Amino acid sequence: MGTTEVDHLIIGAGFGGLCAAIRLQEAGERDFVVIEKDTDVGGTWHANTYPGAACDVPSQLYSFSFALNPDWSAAYSPQPEILAYLRDVAAGSGTLDRFRFGTEVLGARWDAPTRRWLVDTSVGAYAARTLIAGAGGLSEPRLPDIAGIDTFAGPVFHTARWDHDVDLAGKRVAVIGTGASAIQVVPELRKVAARVDVYQRTPNWVIPRNERRTSERRRAVYRRFPGVQRAVRAGVYATLEARVPAFVRFPQLQALTEAAAKANIRRGIADPELREAVTPTYRAGCKRILISNAWYPALAADNVDLVTAGIDRITPGGVVDAEAAEREVDVLVIATGFHVTDPPIAERITGRDGRTLAEVWAATGMQAYKGTTFHGFPNLFQLVGPNTALGHSSMVHIIESQVRYVVDAVDTLRRSGWAPLEPTAAAQDAWNETVQERMAGTVWTAGGCASWYLDAFGRNTTLWPGHTFTFRRHLSRFDRGAYQVTDPSPASSPSPKETLPA
Ligand code: NAP
């Protein structure tokens, strides 16, 4: 099979890849392909099908600004609704004919002579002028390194790879982890399983969730008067942005969140010992703040045991905790999160000097310019790149900001005859220095916890330390001055340092 030449190759058919495809098409770019390893659009929302999977960002913000959904059923949407939304948007976009499902990236390398990304996939090869990676920030399950886990005799699966063929009715189930995924799945599991053992390493702050359903009448109003829905959406957006100072500058304000979470604990749990076991000792917000009305009552249920002793090892028939107590179980559910600061896609992308992104990051930690482009990696754009994730609002907003920047960059590339561009080292360094300066004093750094936001160097290379509108402003246009033309053309002089406004 030969190599397919395209102007743009987009990796991933989640919110990021789909948004890029739609916006590129609107900008008049027709020659692009979206490759996706799964069988459908959806990304995270296609992969995570565990019972109880839902979004903890308000529905009103969890859609594209150009495709509002008047039909969200509730204040927070369940996974099947979000997946259906993404399928609808994709189907109506006129781009689906360029999606190639069941196609996984094996490796991508910059080829200087042809000024193309040469991309090997499980199905064939591509040569592309630009590579737009929307592979997802939370896509590769992180499996715990626990002695004996390979010897377990029963089914073992991660929440993001749920095995629906396993009948959990009447089974004894162990769940490892108490993060955002676990708190959604455990209340569902305990309804069908004989017993659920929940292995908690660190408790999370869990505040109440607004369970309000959206009435048919309200949906009809949204359908008829989209302006009303836009106004509601703007209100929700402003409410969430108002929380930024409590994360970034005044972590002591998180005491309000802690009070709400403690009230949630008191409502859900009567036993003082259990209450204490689930109460965190670090500042709220240091790890992601979770929302649930069902988590604490589930932990208090007769058929659920919270185990805090730590896991010593796993045997073919069960789990042995650090106090040598063995609990027999039939099924092991792994809810231990994802590879965030070491994403596998970084191992598969090789820049102009022959090093992969992962090799570059091994020395520096994850770094990009404006979370999107990379010195040494011409015409590469990453959606949901370093320091773009959020602890307070919707990633869809960030993705739209990035895609706007990418589309503007593509326009610049086209107008310049496709001379490849990469950010100067100086521009990228200045951006990251400023971001890291901002991190000092944030709740993520000063809140007294270890979290997956932090990398091996202890730096937060995951989150954006500010308002989403500030991020959008930084990416509102492609700032050609921060870029250099990649070889073989002579490199332009380095740009002035780009800094964030105070
Ligand atoms: P997570 O937040 O990273 O939680 C992983 C859990 O596993 C933590 O409780 C962690 O404990 C524990 N753990 C990790 N390794 C362990 C080990 N070796 N032994 C025992 N426990 C271990 O993962 P997640 O719950 O899948 O959520 C990941 C992210 O996905 C969320 O923060 C969120 O951004 C996203 N998510 C979003 C939604 C949504 O509603 N939008 C739903 C699910 C997930 P420690 O705290 O001690 O590390």
Side-chain angles (χ1 to χ4, degrees):
M1 191 191 258
T3 297
T4 306
E5 287 208 17
V6 288
D7 282 344
H8 315 290
L9 189 71
I10 300 170
I11 303 172
F15 266 102
L18 182 55
C19 185
I22 292 171
R23 290 306 207 193
L24 281 176
Q25 164 138 307
E26 281 172 9
E29 298 291 327
R30 293 284 183 269
D31 189 14
F32 62 82
V33 162
V34 182
I35 56 175
E36 165 59 57
K37 66 175 158 42
D38 258 323
T39 53
D40 198 353
V41 297
T44 279
W45 300 102
H46 185 258
N48 284 270
T49 60
Y50 59 82
C55 188
D56 59 10
V57 172
S59 306
Q60 289 304 337
L61 291 186
Y62 215 72
S63 60
F64 294 121
S65 61
F66 53 85
L68 295 197
N69 178 12
D71 290 315
W72 293 126
S73 66
Y76 293 92
S77 300
Q79 171 266 339
E81 245 179 81
I82 301 170
L83 182 58
Y85 165 79
L86 286 169
R87 282 183 177 141
D88 276 358
V89 172
S93 70
T95 62
L96 259 187
D97 58 329
R98 271 148 295 160
F99 283 57
R100 307 284 176 265
F101 297 107
T103 305
E104 181 173 358
V105 179
L106 303 176
R109 72 177 171 85
W110 176 253
D111 184 55
T114 59
R115 296 173 151 195
R116 298 281 200 289
W117 282 99
L118 303 183
V119 183
D120 278 329
T121 78
S122 52
V123 174
Y126 289 88
R129 295 183 193 276
T130 76
L131 185 61
I132 302 169
L138 300 164
S139 68
E140 186 67 22
R142 180 182 285 284
L143 302 175
D145 188 13
I146 299 173
I149 194 161
D150 296 339
T151 67
F152 186 70
V156 183
F157 46 88
H158 188 275
T159 44
R161 303 282 184 273
W162 198 263
D163 187 344
H164 291 275
D165 291 337
V166 176
D167 179 10
L168 295 163
K171 297 278 167 39
R172 299 163 302 177
V173 184
V175 177
I176 303 177
T178 51
S181 303
I183 68 147
Q184 293 180 336
V185 79
V186 168
E188 296 304 312
L189 285 183
R190 69 121 176 159
K191 292 179 191 165
V192 294
R195 203 187 75 224
V196 183
D197 298 332
V198 179
Y199 286 85
Q200 170 185 280
R201 192 163 68 177
T202 318
N204 278 295
W205 290 104
V206 184
I207 57 175
R209 182 175 124 130
N210 175 1
E211 303 280 5
R212 207 184 59 236
R213 312 269 318 157
T214 310
S215 67
E216 183 42 50
R217 203 162 149 188
R218 182 181 272 256
R219 293 186 222 175
V221 170
Y222 288 165
R223 248 176 262 130
R224 181 113 193 260
F225 307 106
V228 173
Q229 190 177 13
R230 285 207 180 275
V232 171
R233 178 175 157 108
V236 177
Y237 174 78
T239 307
L240 295 193
E241 290 302 315
R243 295 183 185 163
V244 168
F247 287 92
V248 176
R249 297 196 55 187
F250 309 108
Q252 63 275 24
L253 291 175
Q254 296 287 359
L256 295 170
T257 309
E258 290 163 15
K262 283 178 181 166
N264 204 21
I265 293 171
R266 286 194 298 275
R267 257 193 306 277
I269 298 176
D271 173 16
E273 258 181 52
L274 185 55
R275 280 183 179 175
E276 197 186 331
V278 299
T279 305
T281 52
Y282 56 85
R283 194 99 261 190
C286 185
K287 288 171 182 280
R288 190 177 173 89
I289 296 167
L290 309 182
I291 56 166
S292 175
N293 301 342
W295 170 242
Y296 294 128
L299 292 182
D302 287 344
N303 65 338
V304 178
D305 274 341
L306 184 77
V307 186
T308 57
I311 301 173
D312 179 64
R313 64 184 188 281
I314 290 171
T315 64
V319 182
V320 181
D321 70 25
E323 288 162 2
E326 176 161 12
R327 286 177 179 75
E328 288 185 1
V329 288
D330 306 305
V331 180
L332 209 51
V333 171
I334 311 291
T336 50
F338 299 87
H339 286 273
V340 181
T341 55
D342 54 348
I345 187 76
E347 289 165 20
R348 301 185 187 181
I349 299 180
T350 304
R352 64 171 157 74
D353 71 355
R355 287 188 302 160
T356 63
L357 258 186
E359 283 165 344
V360 173
W361 289 349
T364 62
M366 286 203 302
Q367 283 195 2
Y369 178 61
K370 298 193 170 179
T372 310
T373 54
F374 306 89
H375 180 68
F377 295 76
N379 296 359
L380 171 66
F381 303 92
Q382 188 182 18
L383 305 176
V384 192
N387 290 113
T388 62
L390 300 174
H392 75 281
S393 188
S394 171
M395 283 309 291
V396 183
H397 194 279
I398 293 286
I399 286 168
E400 286 198 49
S401 303
Q402 288 190 284
V403 167
R404 182 188 298 195
Y405 187 77
V406 173
V407 169
D408 202 21
V410 164
D411 181 55
T412 304
L413 288 167
R414 184 175 281 287
R415 280 190 286 107
S416 65
W418 298 107
L421 292 173
E422 63 183 66
T424 64
Q428 184 168 317
D429 288 349
W431 172 264
N432 286 291
E433 270 166 36
T434 314
V435 166
Q436 289 307 321
E437 277 164 22
R438 280 273 180 99
M439 285 298 174
T442 64
V443 72
W444 310 302
T445 310
C449 78
S451 77
W452 57 259
Y453 298 149
L454 308 180
D455 67 11
F457 304 96
R459 276 191 305 242
N460 186 338
T461 53
T462 308
L463 294 182
W464 168 245
H467 293 283
T468 58
F469 51 79
T470 312
F471 183 79
R472 179 158 290 188
R473 203 168 59 233
H474 284 297
L475 277 78
S476 60
R477 58 173 185 87
F478 181 66
D479 44 348
R480 172 68 182 80
Y483 285 75
Q484 65 189 43
V485 175
T486 307
D487 225 25
S489 309
S492 61
S493 56
S495 74
K497 275 191 158 194
E498 163 107 16
T499 49
L500 310 176

